[in-house]
Amino acid sequence: MIRLWRWFCLRHLWSYKGRALLCLLGVALGVAVFVGIKTAASSAMISFRDTVNSLTGTTQLQVTGQGNGFPEELYATVASSDGVLAATPVLEFNVIAAAPIDEPLLMLGIDVFSDQEFRQYQFVESRQGADGILSFLTEPGAIALTEKFAQRHGLEVEDRLEILSGSRRLPFTLRALLKLKGPARALEGNVALVDIATAQEVFDRVGRLDRIDLLLEENVSLKDVSEQLQKLLPADVQVETSGKRLGRIREMVNAYHLNLLALSLIALFVGIFLIYNAVSFAVSKRRYEIAMLRVLGTQRHQILGLFLAEALIVGLLGAVVGVGMGLVMAKLALKAMAQTISELYLLVRAETLTLSPLSILFGAGAALAVALLGGLFPSLEASRTLPREALYRGTLERRLHMGLGRISLVGAVILGLGYFCSQQQPVNGLPLFGFIAAFLILAGFSFLTPASVVLVNRALAPGLASIFKIEGKMASRYLGRSLNRSAVAIAALMTALAMLISISIMILSFRQTVVVWTEQIIAADLYISPAVRLTGQRASLPPDLVEALPDLPGFLAMERLSEIPIRIGDVPALLDVTDLEVKERLSRIMYRRGSSSEILRRCRERGQVSISEVLANRLNLGEGDRLNLPTPKGLQSLVIAGVFYDYRTEGGMVIMDRSTYLHYWPEERRYSSVGLYVKPEADPEKVRALIRQRLKESQEVFITSNRELRREILRIFDQTFSITYALQVIAIVVAVFGIVNTLILLVTERERDIGVLKAVGATNKQVQRMTLLEAGLMGLISFVLGSVNGVILSLLLIFVINKQSFGWTIQFSVPGVMFGKTLILVLACALIAGIFPARAAVSKRVSEVMSLE
Amino acid sequence: MLYAAERTAKVEIENMIELESVTKTYTLGQQRIVAVNDVSLTIEPGEFVAIMGKSGCGKTTLLSLLGGLDRPDRGHIWVDGQDVTQLSDVELTRYRRDQVGIVFQFFNLIPILTVLENVALPFTLQGRPEREVQARAEELLKDVDLWQRRNHYPHEISGGEMQRVAIARALINRPHLVLADEPTGNLDSRTGHQVMEMMAQLSQRHNTTFVLATHSSEAASFASRKLLMRDGSLSFEEAAREET
């Protein structure tokens, strides 16, 4: 058997190296995308987990505050509580080391004495000696950085550097270098250490803490201590283990991760068609061999084994190449992905790729599965071939025609299953059934492809014949005749196109929704915000700057916005506090029901709140329900006046009037940003220049015009989706390989026909035109089917998958221009794919072909 | 001088085919095979010539060279006063299309075209007006007695019928020369006989030169002249049937 296999498979693969390579590359690309994304995403997550773990040290429990933290008096309460062995306060800031360094840093404000029991900081030997280890930090403006970070930027002890935080520029002096051990490993060494008192002072947080880390006495239960502590603390302060925090963050990133993975699986899905084609080619090329083997007594299962083995070897090689390519891809994507995750969710720095054997195995396994699935049908056909039958052509074609009804029925059943799955509820907040439905829809449409090709081809035939004469007529007839080959290539391209079209519809609909939304809600003329706004950080504007704004010439009104991260139960959300009176008068909020000004007035006058639809979905609350909000004055139950659309974050959002806020959070007077309205006769540009003039040297703020802010929002929007475009391009490339493969196969199968055509006087140009027309026709039919499939998939993406994973309402819109562009792209790709086969079609001399006689 | 004079003389004789020391070799792996070896031959207009010989003797190659499907390594082939060996690729395609009709052993009909479309194919490829194409195809299909079958596809008709379609297709351009490579090789003897009879009739009716390659003496018996080919060379000429 092995010898047979070597004779019949390896030699065949070798003599058609080019085609085998094309197919292998297609599978490899699918695997590469999968492994690449999986590895990059898990590396980013692992790097984040390492950050959290290294910062946790020996900590068993953490007391964490919301928004602006909690008063430091709580420290004494917590530290002296039963079961607590040791406690240390922590302040955490995400800051940026100013140019020329220009890198994010995790700044930890620690209490140098109590912290030693929790975390082991190791310093590079310095003048102070090991003894003075942490005491140097108590000097004002002292900072410690990791050796790695300092070396990278050529910093030495006693050098000065500036740190940007929110709207401030703060001077520091480097006093010590940390070894890359323990907590210093966080964010790959982008860690800065300062004394907690310094931190409170320079970051304007005197008297407040973010977190208290706890060590418990032996023999006490984590749960008991945690429950007992919770009773002592205000509602907006929580006690939890660090593992829980990690889990929450992982959950957040999961949806993003899953989306990318699903996309990469589509590239693999397209690979099935490629293998199908390759094995079909092998079967068709070797009908005679199969017949002879059968005549000589080879069993059916042996024939099946021969061809499946051939498919498997392509799958195996594809897996090996794909995993290699995937790791390279992961290396390249890691930075981009870490950046996206940093912008959307939390600050991560990922430099090292962490290999995950599981995802590599899964990728390789998927390649083999794809190979088996793709190779199975044509291999079965080969094994079922009777010795006599194998000597004639056209058998497979007739078989497929006969089975058309049955194949279509299977397709319809799969589509029905897909519809059923689309109606299911999410699993753990993830739209698993939605993704299954997407794959079922793609599979269902693939099964419907042969019948659709017949129908569309029939509809297009008269037009083709009248425009392109005999070439058009023959291209269309050939396509109809070679269904078992062409339908597969068309299904592959159709799948890639359906994906392209559906995702484009989703993104463009989403974008259009966001455009309408920004036009409605961004009404102020100028927006003033801190220069540095990193994820998870509460940057604020200098209060004196905000208070001086009404004195500006041309001032009409301002909305002072405070954004406070909170948690409602286990659901993270953002509390948006603003001057609703101004919003009511000059701007609006897009509510899903009711008038903006009416709801805003109720919020202002009756102390009610508005919540975003995302939060409403997560908490299963609606208009008129009550929201339980943890505040320093305990849990408050507030009436929900309205539910609004919001596309800023994936988390939920609560809008509250400033007066209500000050009632519950009396100590807070910090502004995240300000929306400034100028009088109609005033020039916003002049006002902007004036504000700039009045800024102090240490103040760093962004002043954005209305139009710039809208543009910025769309820029971030587009950037978020850039990786999906790259994936789509890959799927199309894989599918175009399919078209090239199929056409070469068809041209080889028709060698004799082409010879006859040339013998009876067809010119090379006519033969080439016929091949190109067939390629174009395949592209056109793929486009028609892909469009229908794509629109259906986009509905699933928008109304099921997006709704379940993010909860946004996206207004469905079908962008006509996109279809036009896609059609041009497809036809161009198909025609380019046809060039090589068209050349191949006329490359043989007529007599060579005829000497087959 | 003499060569130029001869050439003028040849041009004056219409529809004549002359081969002058034609040689064609192939390389098969390491082996060189002389398929046609220094063949010279003259065929009169309207002649029905059969080239006989065993498989591999070079009959098909000789036919390919006559039909412009391939080029000889040496020598000249004159058809209608035109040296076919000197034609460019484009001119050669035009020569095949306008002056030669080919009938193959395996009929070689295009499976996706109907009987009528197959017959009309050479005309259609030339972009002739639809009405002319239809009229001529109809005439020929009636000639070969297949008008009733015009809308059938090749796989729906019998071998003999397929070969008749192929003959009709070969004649649609009113070629001066029809080449038939083992036209009865794939038919039973009765059908083969009918097909040969039809070819002989058509040759006479249209005054078309037929060159037939066959190893069947029965098929060759319809020819007005029989040539025997062995190892690439024409070894002797046999007198026409009528004269023996």
Side-chain angles (χ1 to χ4, degrees), chain A residues 230-248:
Chain A
Q230 191 67 69
K231 281 182 204 143
L232 296 172
L233 297 169
D236 63 335
V237 178
Q238 290 187 335
V239 186
E240 62 183 10
T241 60
S242 58
K244 199 171 170 197
R245 184 174 164 218
L246 192 64
R248 216 170 43 230

Side-chain angles (χ1 to χ4, degrees), chain A residues 315-632:
Chain A
L316 200 67
L317 288 175
V320 172
V321 176
V323 166
M325 277 164 63
L327 295 182
V328 174
M329 226 180 248
K331 186 84 192 158
L332 298 176
L334 187 56
K335 210 173 160 194
M337 196 173 283
Q339 197 180 339
T340 307
I341 294 180
S342 294
E343 274 183 20
L344 293 180
Y345 308 100
L346 53 116
L347 191 61
V348 290
R349 258 180 75 78
E351 286 171 351
T352 30
L353 215 54
T354 318
L355 295 189
S356 142
L358 204 68
S359 43
I360 290 176
L361 274 180
F362 190 91
L368 292 183
V370 160
L372 273 181
L373 261 174
L376 190 63
F377 187 69
S379 303
L380 273 175
E381 280 295 344
S383 74
R384 279 184 201 148
T385 309
L386 297 169
R388 175 175 49 81
E389 209 180 349
L391 293 171
Y392 298 99
R393 284 175 303 155
T395 317
L396 267 180
E397 279 85 346
R398 255 172 269 142
R399 262 193 198 160
L400 189 57
H401 274 292
M402 285 189 289
L404 217 52
R406 215 180 300 164
I407 291 175
S408 307
L409 188 68
V410 172
V413 170
I414 294 179
L415 278 186
L417 267 178
Y419 176 78
F420 175 77
C421 284
S422 73
Q423 302 300 307
Q424 302 308 305
Q425 292 301 309
V427 180
N428 288 334
L430 293 177
L432 282 182
F433 281 107
F435 283 116
I436 294 175
F439 275 91
L440 287 176
I441 289 174
L442 284 175
F445 266 88
S446 303
F447 277 96
L448 288 178
T449 302
S452 315
V453 171
V454 171
L455 288 177
V456 178
N457 191 26
R458 207 170 281 167
L460 291 174
L464 270 173
S466 74
I467 299 172
F468 298 104
K469 309 288 179 236
I470 181 75
E471 291 98 314
K473 186 192 244 176
M474 292 190 71
S476 150
R477 296 255 184 104
Y478 266 127
L479 189 71
R481 267 303 163 113
S482 53
L483 261 193
N484 68 318
R485 311 266 179 270
S486 53
V488 172
I490 290 173
L493 187 56
M494 184 249 341
T495 304
L497 284 174
M499 171 178 142
L500 175 80
I501 289 171
S502 62
I503 293 174
S504 300
I505 291 179
M506 191 216 25
I507 295 178
L508 292 172
S509 296
F510 196 0
R511 199 174 193 278
Q512 189 53 35
T513 308
V514 170
V515 168
V516 171
W517 172 75
T518 51
E519 274 165 11
Q520 300 239 5
I521 65 142
I522 297 181
D525 298 296
L526 291 172
Y527 287 87
I528 307 164
S529 59
V532 180
R533 298 184 78 174
L534 294 170
T535 347
Q537 186 210 15
R538 304 123 310 184
S540 62
L541 286 171
D544 52 339
L545 174 84
V546 178
E547 278 148 25
L549 287 175
D551 302 337
L552 284 170
F555 175 90
L556 179 67
M558 66 175 175
E559 269 181 66
R560 294 162 302 172
L561 181 78
S562 307
E563 279 185 338
I564 303 115
I566 53 166
R567 268 211 312 280
I568 300 163
D570 261 350
V571 179
L574 211 56
L575 177 62
D576 251 26
V577 176
T578 186
D579 302 294
L580 289 188
E581 180 271 326
V582 179
K583 201 177 266 303
E584 187 187 322
R585 197 154 44 91
L586 299 168
S587 174
R588 57 169 298 182
I589 288 177
M590 267 174 80
Y591 285 101
R592 66 179 187 193
R593 265 193 288 283
S595 96
S596 168
S597 52
E598 166 64 24
I599 297 172
L600 288 174
R601 196 172 45 81
R602 266 191 284 145
C603 285
R604 193 162 49 87
E605 290 173 355
R606 301 185 200 164
Q608 298 181 350
V609 291
S610 302
I611 63 172
S612 64
E613 62 162 342
V614 173
L615 192 63
N617 290 341
R618 284 210 191 141
L619 299 176
N620 206 12
L621 292 174
E623 292 86 349
D625 291 337
R626 281 179 177 271
L627 179 75
N628 290 324
L629 198 67
T631 75

Side-chain angles (χ1 to χ4, degrees), chain B residues 12-212:
Chain B
E12 281 163 5
I13 305 168
E14 273 195 14
N15 293 9
M16 195 185 80
I17 299 166
E18 180 157 349
L19 281 76
E20 190 182 276
S21 308
V22 172
T23 300
K24 176 76 189 176
T25 50
Y26 291 112
T27 319
L28 213 69
Q30 300 284 319
Q31 219 182 346
R32 255 170 69 88
I33 293 169
V34 185
V36 174
N37 190 9
D38 198 27
V39 168
S40 296
L41 171 70
T42 309
I43 297 169
E44 302 291 326
E47 243 191 308
F48 196 137
V49 179
I51 302 172
M52 295 185 67
K54 292 180 183 161
S55 297
C57 71
K59 310 184 294 277
T60 301
T61 308
L62 188 63
L63 248 55
S64 301
L65 296 174
L66 275 173
L69 303 178
D70 210 347
R71 291 169 189 279
D73 301 331
R74 273 203 310 277
H76 295 270
I77 300 169
W78 305 82
V79 176
D80 273 356
Q82 187 181 29
D83 187 351
V84 175
T85 58
Q86 302 297 311
L87 298 178
S88 68
D89 271 350
V90 175
E91 288 167 331
L92 207 58
T93 304
R94 207 172 291 145
Y95 161 74
R96 282 199 300 265
R97 195 180 67 189
D98 301 341
Q99 300 189 39
V100 185
I102 303 177
V103 178
F104 304 92
Q105 177 181 352
F106 291 103
F107 330 127
N108 282 341
L109 300 181
I110 303 287
I112 54 158
L113 299 179
T114 61
V115 163
L116 181 76
E117 287 165 339
N118 262 294
V119 172
L121 183 63
F123 252 30
T124 318
L125 283 169
Q126 290 169 40
R128 300 272 186 105
E130 189 62 27
R131 194 177 298 166
E132 189 190 339
V133 175
Q134 280 290 334
R136 176 79 179 141
E138 185 178 333
E139 180 192 337
L140 282 165
L141 276 176
K142 285 179 179 159
D143 268 358
V144 297
D145 204 15
L146 280 174
W147 179 242
Q148 266 74 29
R149 300 287 223 168
R150 64 188 177 279
N151 290 326
H152 286 74
Y153 283 93
H155 64 88
E156 295 166 341
I157 59 178
S158 71
E161 287 172 325
M162 282 200 232
Q163 198 57 301
R164 275 146 61 196
V165 175
I167 294 168
R169 178 177 69 186
L171 287 171
I172 193 163
N173 276 331
R174 297 190 174 87
H176 299 144
L177 173 65
V178 172
L179 304 169
D181 189 6
E182 300 281 7
T184 58
N186 228 26
L187 302 173
D188 61 65
S189 60
R190 213 175 62 116
T191 319
H193 191 88
Q194 287 171 352
V195 164
M196 285 313 301
E197 229 168 34
M198 183 165 278
M199 287 221 279
Q201 279 170 14
L202 288 168
S203 166
Q204 274 188 347
R205 192 184 308 159
H206 297 279
N207 193 30
T208 306
T209 311
F210 266 71
V211 179
L212 166 79

Side-chain angles (χ1 to χ4, degrees), chain A residues 138-153:
Chain A
T138 51
E139 298 163 29
I143 192 172
L145 294 170
T146 61
E147 203 182 0
K148 181 180 172 189
F149 184 87
Q151 272 173 1
R152 191 165 61 232
H153 298 290

